[in-house]
Amino acid sequence: MRQYYFVVFMIAIYLVVYFTSPALFHESMLENYSIFLRVIPILALVFVFIFLFNLFLKPDKIKKHLGKEAGMKGWVFSIVAGILSTGPIYIWYPLLSDLKEKGMRTSFMSTFLYNRSVKLPLLPIMIYYFRFIYTLILTVYIILTSVIAGYLTELIVDDESKSN
């Protein structure tokens, strides 16, 4: 039941807006519809990827490369994959959730998402505006901090899920 609190809360907000400001409600619905139309092709692509992952990646392989025993290889893979990943972040959520169900460590998910802030195509622009040494230090800082954030996220989330 706890997982529905947010949905119920949002429905309540929309009902309040509907009765207090119908124009705002209508504008909001149009914007939601516009977002929905933009997301549909991306979600279709995500479902294709999930289908292919389910077809070719077996849980034992994921556990081996991204599970508890992955070690340094899992960290490096998470960092590199996060840096190389492109597109909107919300397309990665269902894929990561699927990988999590198959045994991916929480810390690797967090590290992957954290490293998405390192944008390879934008590094030359950043070097132009902020100089090479600043860009290098910031990039290394982001990568190192992603590992710390990964450890902390796993520590907090896994402890919380054990207590439930």
Side-chain angles (χ1 to χ4, degrees), residues 65-83:
H65 297 292
L66 294 171
K68 297 283 182 200
E69 289 82 31
M72 185 58 108
K73 186 172 51 175
W75 289 106
V76 171
F77 181 79
S78 308
I79 291 168
V80 172
I83 291 171

Side-chain angles (χ1 to χ4, degrees), residues 46 81 85-97 112-113 116:
V46 167
S85 66
T86 59
I89 195 165
Y90 54 83
I91 68 168
W92 293 99
Y93 295 154
L95 292 172
L96 290 173
S97 175
F112 172 86
L113 292 171
R116 285 187 44 83

Side-chain angles (χ1 to χ4, degrees), residues 65-71 74-79 96 100 103-115 143 145-158:
H65 297 292
L66 294 171
K68 297 283 182 200
E69 289 82 31
W75 289 106
V76 171
F77 181 79
S78 308
I79 291 168
L96 290 173
K100 173 76 176 156
M104 182 179 191
R105 284 178 63 178
T106 303
S107 57
F108 293 156
M109 284 187 347
S110 176
T111 302
F112 172 86
L113 292 171
Y114 204 100
N115 277 292
I143 291 170
T145 307
S146 74
V147 174
I148 295 168
Y151 269 119
L152 291 175
T153 303
E154 186 171 79
L155 189 72
I156 294 167
V157 171
D158 287 354

Side-chain angles (χ1 to χ4, degrees), residues 29-62:
M29 286 292 115
L30 287 177
E31 183 62 28
N32 284 337
Y33 181 70
S34 171
I35 291 171
F36 180 73
L37 290 179
R38 283 182 276 164
V39 169
I40 285 294
I42 295 169
L43 281 179
L45 185 64
V46 167
F47 287 123
V48 168
F49 281 132
I50 288 174
F51 173 75
L52 293 174
F53 279 171
N54 286 330
L55 194 61
F56 296 112
L57 289 178
K58 301 300 176 205
D60 56 330
K61 282 187 178 179
I62 293 172

Side-chain angles (χ1 to χ4, degrees), residues 14-30:
Y14 273 89
L15 285 174
V16 168
V17 172
Y18 176 77
F19 288 112
T20 58
S21 179
L24 180 62
F25 177 80
H26 181 72
E27 186 178 323
S28 172
M29 286 292 115
L30 287 177

